[in-house]
Amino acid sequence: MVTTNKTHVVGFSFSGITDDATLVPVLFIFFLKVYLVTFVGNVGMVILVLKTPNLHTPMYFFLGYLSVVDLICSSIITPKMLLDLLSIKKTISFTGCALQFFIFAAMAATEAFILSNMSYDRYVAICHPLHYASIMTKKKCWCLVLFSFTVGFMQSLVQTSCVFNLEFCGSNHIAHFYCDVPPLLKLSCSDTFICYMITTSIISSCGVGSFLTILVSYTFIVSSILHIKSSEGRRKAFSTCSAHLTSVSILFGSVFFVYLRSSTSDFGKQDKVASVFYTVIMPMLNPLIYSVRNQEVKKILRMASQRTQKPVH
């Protein structure tokens, strides 16, 4: 352990994603491919939204920012995890740990709010189609995105200040593959109850608040869809929401599993698996889900593919 005095460590070490050396090559190749797909998919989605006039709508406006958030979230976690897979010593400085946690916590909360914005957009589109253009104005969309990022960074600042002002005078070994609240609190020799309550309250407020917004929106959406007489109309209405619901289910399911539990619960392998889903896998899945489940995006991608395959005379 490296310390400057008895109360402040200057660095941490990670346990990493696995203790089994035989799995390292397989995991490295797998997560490298995941990150490359994540990078290409999210950058591609942003470019597609920016360059395609047909996609200059509120839903794709939010989707573009969701891709930006996913790219940042993945990039702050995955490259370091890949490097640690190849390293004997998996270390990070105290400042680096705080910065990693700050950016990740900000992006995680921002993603939850953007997903709730997207559910509100779908609610207006399906329940109030005649007033959609007047309700979902460009100004309102910008305000919703600005609110998401502002609250995301503010709550992250509070959490980071709380956790990294604790005293760490024992082990500096984090039982995880990145800097996160549960394993960090277990390392502190301070009284962590207040910090635990603050972080739990913030995560609950952001997570449960966003989830309730989504739940209420979809309650009205389902009610409206069930009143549509034609089965084809109901199918089209449901198809516009399926990609969003898939993303919401994976994200909130894994996040609630890790964070909204007792502080005395051991941080085990199942927590690492859940963490991998929302830090590494989810940022890759979002652009794939919205590409595969969205007819508009699929149509544009097919047209782009046909243009690139057309022979040059």
Side-chain angles (χ1 to χ4, degrees):
M1 180 183 71
V2 183
T3 62
T4 54
N5 55 48
K6 194 171 180 175
T7 62
H8 184 68
V9 301
V10 296
F12 295 99
S13 63
F14 295 121
S15 64
I17 198 73
T18 182
D19 296 325
D20 190 345
T22 60
L23 290 177
V24 168
V26 176
L27 290 177
F28 180 84
I29 293 171
F30 173 73
F31 287 123
L32 178 61
K33 288 181 178 179
V34 167
Y35 182 66
L36 291 175
V37 172
T38 301
F39 187 88
V40 172
N42 284 291
V43 170
M45 184 62 72
V46 172
I47 294 173
L48 191 67
V49 171
L50 288 175
K51 297 294 185 181
T52 309
N54 290 351
L55 300 184
H56 291 174
T57 63
M59 183 176 76
Y60 293 103
F61 176 80
F62 293 131
L63 182 56
Y65 277 99
L66 183 67
S67 292
V68 170
V69 169
D70 280 335
L71 185 59
I72 296 172
C73 188
S74 177
S75 296
I76 201 66
I77 301 292
T78 312
K80 173 61 177 169
M81 184 185 72
L82 289 170
L83 180 63
D84 286 343
L85 279 169
L86 301 178
S87 305
I88 297 174
K89 292 184 178 181
K90 304 170 177 59
T91 59
I92 189 170
S93 68
F94 187 89
T95 303
C97 187
L99 183 62
Q100 185 188 60
F101 174 74
F102 173 72
I103 296 175
F104 170 72
M107 291 300 101
T110 301
E111 177 155 354
F113 286 119
I114 289 179
L115 286 172
S116 65
N117 293 341
M118 293 173 76
S119 71
Y120 174 69
D121 172 74
R122 292 299 82 206
Y123 157 73
V124 176
I126 293 173
C127 299
H128 304 283
L130 299 179
H131 302 286
Y132 181 74
S134 61
I135 295 175
M136 296 304 296
T137 61
K138 191 173 183 178
K139 181 180 179 181
K140 176 176 278 190
C141 291
W142 275 111
C143 287
L144 288 171
V145 167
L146 183 62
F147 171 82
S148 300
F149 276 93
T150 301
V151 176
F153 276 100
M154 286 179 64
Q155 64 81 34
S156 179
L157 182 61
V158 174
Q159 285 196 73
T160 305
S161 299
C162 178
V163 173
F164 288 90
N165 275 313
L166 294 172
E167 293 182 351
F168 297 92
C169 52
S171 171
N172 69 337
H173 186 70
I174 300 174
H176 207 358
F177 60 90
Y178 73 100
C179 295
D180 200 9
V181 172
L184 281 168
L185 291 182
K186 291 186 180 300
L187 294 183
S188 176
C189 51
S190 305
D191 183 358
T192 60
F193 178 75
I194 294 177
C195 191
Y196 170 75
M197 292 305 297
I198 289 173
T199 55
T200 302
S201 298
I202 289 173
I203 292 168
S204 299
S205 300
C206 294
V208 176
S210 300
F211 185 74
L212 285 177
T213 300
I214 295 168
L215 188 63
V216 170
S217 297
Y218 275 101
T219 300
F220 286 109
I221 288 170
V222 171
S223 177
S224 295
I225 291 176
L226 292 177
H227 284 87
I228 298 175
K229 293 183 179 180
S230 69
S231 58
E232 181 64 18
R234 287 196 297 270
R235 188 190 65 78
K236 286 184 178 180
F238 272 121
S239 69
T240 64
C241 303
S242 60
H244 182 256
L245 281 172
T246 303
S247 297
V248 168
S249 301
I250 297 173
L251 176 67
F252 284 96
S254 55
V255 168
F256 287 163
F257 176 81
V258 172
Y259 290 102
L260 299 186
R261 296 193 296 158
S262 169
S263 61
T264 59
S265 301
D266 290 333
F267 194 88
K269 290 182 179 180
Q270 69 273 23
D271 298 279
K272 284 188 180 182
V273 172
S275 297
V276 166
F277 266 98
Y278 63 78
T279 60
V280 181
I281 304 298
M282 193 68 203
M284 177 193 70
L285 288 180
N286 274 336
L288 295 179
I289 290 170
Y290 284 98
S291 299
V292 172
R293 304 301 294 272
N294 192 290
Q295 296 300 321
E296 187 86 26
V297 174
K298 285 166 67 175
K299 181 180 177 182
I300 292 169
L301 290 175
R302 277 198 300 268
M303 291 170 60
S305 177
Q306 289 170 1
R307 284 198 297 267
T308 57
Q309 292 174 6
K310 193 175 292 183
V312 179
H313 298 288

